[in-house]
Amino acid sequence: MKKYIVFLCVIATSNLFAQTQRIELNQNWTFKKEQDTKWLPAAVPGTVHTDLMQNKLIPDPFFGTNEKDVQWVENENWEYQTQFTATKEMLANQNIELVFKGLDTYAEIELNNQKIASTDNMFREWRYDVKKLLKEGDNILKIKFLSPYKTALPVFDKIPYALPADNDRGEKHTSVVTRKAPYQFGWDWGPRLLTSGIWKPVYLELSNTAKIRNVQIVQKSLTKEKAELEIRTTFESFDSKTIFLKVSYQPKDYVSIQDLRIMPLTLKKGIQTYISAVTINNPKLWWCNGLGDAQLYDITVYLTSTDHLTLDSLEEHIGLRTIEVVQEPDSVGKSFYFKVNGVPVFMKGANTIPFDNFLPRVTKDVYKNYIQQAAQSNINMLRVWGGGIYEDDEFYNQCDENGILVWQDFMFACSFYPGDTAFLNNVKAEAEQNIIRLRNHPSLALWCGNNEIDEAWHNWGYQAANKYSVKDSTEIWENYKALFHKLLPEVIAQNDSRFYWASSPQFGWGRPQSLKQGDSHYWGIWWGDSAFSTYKNKVGRFMSEYGFQAFPDKQTFKQYMPDFDRAFSSPTAQTHQKNWKGYPTIKKYMGWEYKIPEKLDDYIYTSQILQAYGIKTAIEAHRKAMPYCMGSLYWQFNDCWPVISWSGIDYTGRWKALQYFVKKAFASDLIVIDTTDKNTDIWIVSDKLQDEKATLTVRLMDFSGKTLYKKSTKINKKGNTSARYFTFNHKDIAFDPAQCVLQVELLDKKGVIADNVHYYRSPKDLKFTQPAIEKSIKVVADGFEIRLKAHTLVKNLYLFLPENVDFSDNYFDLLPNQERIIKCKNVTNINALEIQYLN
Ligand code: BMA
């Protein structure tokens, strides 16, 4: 986390201060197709697609069927150019580097008509010494982006066999040789949009005497009394002089510097690392969401001259915590869980994909918003899945602040890759840079080599389907091992101390091994057409993927897919569903549980409660099985464009029913209702670390609210445990399973701390009566309160507003005679409120 000095336009900078300066080169950019003559305005950071859109040369690729009309863009070369002024004072600096935080992907860079370099990896940062190339006055920086598809073809064509890459929708699957975000080549929830451009900041970095390259903060020990840290500062010096290295630390947001260590250094020219030690007394620990504060400390390293003039500084936010991945043999297989600060913690979370196809649109505010929504959903872990990008710093900053741990994949997914030296060296540099960039984040929990590649090779028939010769097949697997069993673990060991896991999952699909050890992706539901109830049996040690699709919000259809048709046959409907079995699978499962609606709006709504019901079943089964199972990460948290997908939050930021259900299913206290033909068992899962006294209330009622059975019991709820607390036998109670609902509540002195409901038949077999809903709306300080009540059951009551508003709850069951008050923020027109429910 370098501190940037941002100049909005290039201005003359004085050399009076010797401190390293960064001068953003984000102004005056123009672009054109290589063979065109007219230069057009461009935004940097940006992408060629967003520039073309801005200049009205292509339509919005996210709208209707436009995706297909913009495919030509990937086959062209694009030129970008800017002019900036360099002053005499700027040129007087000892070291001047031109820094690109990210170039997408095949770029040729020229400064003042002199070629500087070619690049070939979107995930790398590029730095060039340009002191000799700059001149006083006007300078011209030009970057030619070569077609990401065509440029890769000659490399691809040299490989004598087909490397699998099933999601790549190009004529040739060049994604396997291109270090570019895999999802951009097409995925089963994403369009094919091969962007080009300066997708991250570009600036000149001016330094004198010495500058910091990076800082590694290593926690040597952590006790209640003290944290011992080692600060490894790597810097480059341009002189042989004596300077000071100062390290300050303070709890984040403290105004005054708490501690400052000053060390004199004698510089040698070149790159060197200096290690200093810092002890923090009475440390406050960093905890993950739900278990305590995510306390951060600011550590700043300064290089100063002997007269205390700052030469360079770098600030990092760290958290003091321990984290372990525990794999101990047990009677079944081997455990797989995370211990944070010595405590086993059940990981509740989701898989993220990139937040847009046009990445520079994902601003700091967008990240903040999404990560805060994850925290509000009681999530304590997000997996940055290997088919996207190493996320922006802000993603990890927000995870640090919100106590969300990150399972970090390297960017390899569902494909095989070449093993030649050039490819491996490119990946090595990519891995080194990203490990160094991310390693000080307390949120970072583990490194994982790839998504599903090991599993695909051994168990999904990738090897068999391609009919490889023994020689080719051996080579492909040797290349796999060179990358994921050798190169990546070695680079990690050199630069970080975190746990490395070669592939997620270790085993998949609910095969016997996958339920006994390692992490597991369970796709028997959706891909294998098994019923939702199968989630209860297929519980492994750490469920890192499982999911089910639903339609996005109906307003998202209005905005991006107005001509979407209920038969799902229109070109728009075909464009916005990327999974070949998507529509029929949703319909098949819907038919098992619900009456299939005729109208599109009803279908959208039903698909959402279907998905929410399915994933709730999974999460409850996973948490109930703790400590056998210690993690549940559903697929998938978000979308990158408007689409029918597995996400809980759609592209426009609107919550599907799933996200409201997840929030409840991931709460610290969870009630799980488990039934057989004979009994109903009530389990409570508590993630709180301490035991608590509570009251458990069980009430079975018919749909008009008549109580058929009621029982209240005092319990001692065990901390960090799942246990059964109550059972009743069905034969003791007379009830019609098609017309009754079981309500279970857990109360402490202050009121309800958890609740859940259960039905003894599928929704399609329930005999509803038409409810009369009483509704009143009150204006409150930050929005509205909607009071709702009905004398008969209202199942899955859905509040809809065309605006993207924040409802405190939605898609909930309004029980007979129960009053619910729903808070609603960010609303301008509450009169547009609509209510929908299941009938
Ligand atoms: C998972 C992911 C993705 C995919 C999803 C849905 O296994 O890793 O590759 O999008 O399944 O099919």
Side-chain angles (χ1 to χ4, degrees), residues 187-189 385 414 451-452 521 523 527 545 579 635 646:
W187 214 268
D188 62 355
W189 36 258
W385 163 80
C414 309
N451 176 70
E452 294 183 343
H521 292 188
W523 283 101
W527 286 105
E545 269 190 27
N579 187 252
W635 182 267
W646 295 263

Side-chain angles (χ1 to χ4, degrees), residues 27 99 123 199 228 292 415 427 479 505 512 518 534 551 564 590 595 614 634 649 682 708 719 743 746 756 768 816:
Q27 300 289 310
V99 183
F123 303 124
W199 74 292
E228 288 181 319
S415 307
V427 171
N479 288 345
T534 319
F551 285 54
F564 194 94
M590 199 185 280
K595 289 172 198 145
Y634 64 90
I649 304 179
I682 311 297
L708 306 170
Q743 179 192 23
L746 188 67
N756 208 342
F768 298 117

